[in-house]
Amino acid sequence: MNFTRWSARLPGTQRRAAARGTDRGRTPVQRGESSVPAARGASGQHPDPAPAGVPALEDFALPEIVGSLPALVALVYGPEHRVAYVNDAYAAAFGHRPPGTPAAESCPELDELGLLPLMEQVLRSGKPRTVKSRRIQSGPGGRGDGSYTVTCLPAGRGDGGEETEGVLVFAADVTDHADAAERLRASERRHRETAVTLQRSLLPQELEQPDDLRFAATYQPGGTDAAVGGDWYDVITLGGGRTAVVIGDVMGRGVRAAAVMGQLRTAVRAYARLDLPPHEVLQLLDGLASEIDASQIATCVYAVHDPTDGRLVYASAGHLPILVRDEDGTVRRAEEPTGPPLGTGGWLHTSGSIDLPPGSTAVLYTDGLVERRREDIDEGVAALERALAGATGTPQVVCDRLIRSLGVTAEHDDDVAVLVLQHPTRTGAAAELFHNAALDLLGGTEAAPRARAFASGVLASWRFSPELHDLGVLAVSELVANSLQHGTPPMRLRLRRTDRRLIVEVTDGDEHLPRRRRAETEDEAGRGISIIATIASSWGSRRTPGGGKAVWCEFALPG
């Protein structure tokens, strides 16, 4: 097969009629015309002819040039893609290929590169095709192993015929580039795996489940093309029946964002133990975030549930609003107050509240759940509201349904964290395990015996064992006596039982928090809190929002 009788049709070139008929063999100068194809302008007209003496493409010795190229070149012809020519570089890579043999039999490398179907397309359509960075490992003795970018060009006879009769295969060895790209991808995978592992290890492995609420949470890192962010959530039991929930998002990516997230989550748990109002917790976090890394900020919402009030008291630092679904399917959105993200400084956060009655479900989430490119984030929140309106079942079922409804998949472009809490409606035997009783402490010193009598009657009606009954009355006596001695009106005693514990709490108008201290033998006072700490499972105190304090203790019920 004479390679000089073939011509490849390159994109953007025109076949020249000057190579046909009686003009064959004459130079462009003898023909008196330009040998450079004219470029068509915007108006569709050809520009002026090129100066005389410019050589034409066919005036060059293409076979010699192709043969000396470092790239791999092969020419096949006919419907069976029989080998017409391979250059020295091709033969050095894959060995000699006998002319006239079908490529499917003599050129297994073309099959492994997936080029045979591509060559069929080129032969039928007459249009070039290119595949990038394809790997081959079947060369004899390892010859030709590597990655190649291959272009298949339609080839016609050099006599000027328009019909495509062959395919010119041009392969460039890009092994070094492909290996470098693979090493980069491997490094990015390791970095991502490290960040995901760190992220997951810093999140709670198991959510705390308080008496009055039920929780479930889901964290899903972004797809392989998205760097891991700093989403986090937590549930913290505060004692006295109260529960804190938090969700946040560090506005960064990778290991650094996960590390900052871990520090903020640890700080939230420490500040929560102080039993501060939500806005004061965010105020402390704001200063800490600036100290951790001034270049990274975070959004966060922190809320506290008190079963006595039936509300979520919350504060938000630039985070998306809490959504609450009532038992009838109505969805409410927690509105203001919302301050700027943590780490910006110079802002006094405030607390708001939203009702959480029995039968309701609250959802806290990060922006990855509702934010989409080319869409306003309010549209995403509205879509979440619609999905929540129809989401029923356990907290985990609600989590899964919201993730599916919002179209979050394994290839999502951002991290997603969702925290669902439910305040279940209890009926029948379950309702009998939850009771509340309260007494206003009036009348000075007469309040103490009245409180003991009230507690004794209530605990007897709740059918506690004699031992627990006596311990409960003793705790009431000590807490009420402490409040009468050191507190100011108004004073109130509250008793609460759940399926797991008995809670005794006394509130008064003084903000001074009691502390446990060692009483000397001759001291007549100072032993009340020590007695409470000895007989109760746990105890604590906190300042109340309207001014004053609450002192509480808990007794675990026998299993």
Side-chain angles (χ1 to χ4, degrees), residues 208 236-239 268-276 302:
E208 298 180 25
I236 309 160
T237 53
L238 301 178
V268 169
R269 293 193 70 87
Y271 295 148
R273 298 303 180 194
L274 300 176
D275 221 337
L276 299 172
Y302 178 86

Side-chain angles (χ1 to χ4, degrees), residues 212 214 326-327 357-361 422-428 430-431 434:
D212 297 275
R214 296 293 176 265
D326 292 327
E327 197 169 15
S360 60
T361 300
Q422 287 183 345
H423 186 187
T425 301
R426 295 181 175 88
T427 58
F434 291 81

Side-chain angles (χ1 to χ4, degrees), residues 354-366:
I354 185 169
D355 291 336
L356 192 71
S360 60
T361 300
V363 178
L364 293 78
Y365 51 96
T366 57

Side-chain angles (χ1 to χ4, degrees), residues 227-243:
V228 176
D231 295 12
W232 95 91
Y233 54 82
D234 208 350
V235 176
I236 309 160
T237 53
L238 301 178
R242 303 168 73 249
T243 306

Side-chain angles (χ1 to χ4, degrees), residues 277-288:
H279 65 275
E280 292 189 24
V281 172
L282 290 193
Q283 210 71 53
L284 293 171
L285 281 177
D286 185 37
L288 180 64

Side-chain angles (χ1 to χ4, degrees), residues 439 445 447-457 469 473-474 476-478 480-481 493:
L439 174 69
T445 56
R450 191 164 55 249
R452 286 193 294 270
F454 173 79
S456 179
H469 173 278
V473 172
L474 177 58
V476 168
S477 178
E478 294 296 337
V480 169
L493 167 66

Side-chain angles (χ1 to χ4, degrees), residues 197-210:
T197 301
L198 176 61
Q199 174 88 345
R200 291 194 181 279
S201 67
L202 293 174
L203 291 174
Q205 304 305 301
E206 184 176 350
L207 293 179
E208 298 180 25
Q209 296 291 341

